[in-house]
Amino acid sequence: DLRAYAAGALTVDLTTADPTTLEAHLQATGLPFPSRVFDFGMMRYRLTGGGLHRVARQPSALFAYEGADESPDQGSRRLRLLCQMYEGTISGLPAPTERRTNDGVAFLVYREGDVTVVFWQEGRVVCVLAANGDAEAAIKLAFAKAVRI
């Protein structure tokens, strides 16, 4: 989904920089669980929008963010970040690149090229964060977003 979003093949239902507006939009779609949209402005990502999406034919909440990598070794390039929430369990996922635990929450980390995808469980909901760029930065964003339930 991250690559499709970056290529323009995946679009969002609602363009907004306001997390509260996006949360209200998602609840109005009949999403069967509450969503949490974060403001990652302090981490140099701005919310660009989101909406109802599908993961394995199940409804999911999708949030899109963009940032800029200004690191000297990378030059200036656009960073993309997608977050998703869907009902399910992480137990059926394939073996991850690595496993991490932070504040009592287990994280499954996958890496492919410059994309890092992090999964974790919050009650009956699976949370996913996918980002291009620095893998450690993506994992730290997942740690910041996670809530132990």
Side-chain angles (χ1 to χ4, degrees):
D1 286 344
L2 181 70
R3 287 192 177 111
Y5 175 69
L10 173 65
T11 59
V12 295
D13 298 346
L14 178 67
T15 301
T16 183
D18 180 43
T20 304
T21 299
L22 182 52
E23 285 176 358
H25 170 74
L26 286 163
Q27 291 312 304
T29 67
L31 189 67
F33 55 87
S35 60
R36 288 186 341 275
V37 182
F38 284 83
D39 178 352
F40 286 136
M42 296 284 290
M43 292 138 178
R44 293 194 270 184
Y45 282 94
R46 66 178 178 80
L47 179 66
T48 58
L52 190 63
H53 188 62
R54 298 251 172 229
V55 172
R57 295 188 294 260
Q58 293 185 43
S60 76
L62 175 77
F63 327 120
Y65 300 83
E66 291 190 7
D69 186 353
E70 300 294 338
S71 59
D73 61 329
Q74 294 293 322
S76 182
R77 68 180 177 141
R78 184 182 290 181
L79 296 178
R80 299 235 177 19
L81 180 135
L82 288 182
C83 294
Q84 290 189 61
M85 300 174 76
Y86 64 91
E87 286 185 308
T89 64
I90 62 172
S91 63
L93 294 172
T97 305
E98 69 177 291
R99 295 175 188 271
R100 299 236 189 140
T101 302
N102 185 66
D103 196 26
V105 178
F107 296 86
L108 303 180
V109 180
Y110 300 83
R111 291 189 183 114
E112 184 178 303
D114 76 333
V115 175
T116 302
V117 183
V118 184
F119 288 81
W120 67 97
Q121 192 77 45
E122 291 186 6
R124 69 181 207 253
V125 175
V126 174
C127 297
V128 187
L129 183 144
N132 64 342
D134 181 34
E136 272 314 303
I139 294 167
K140 287 179 183 176
L141 282 168
F143 288 177
K145 188 174 188 319
V147 173
R148 186 170 38 152
I149 295 180

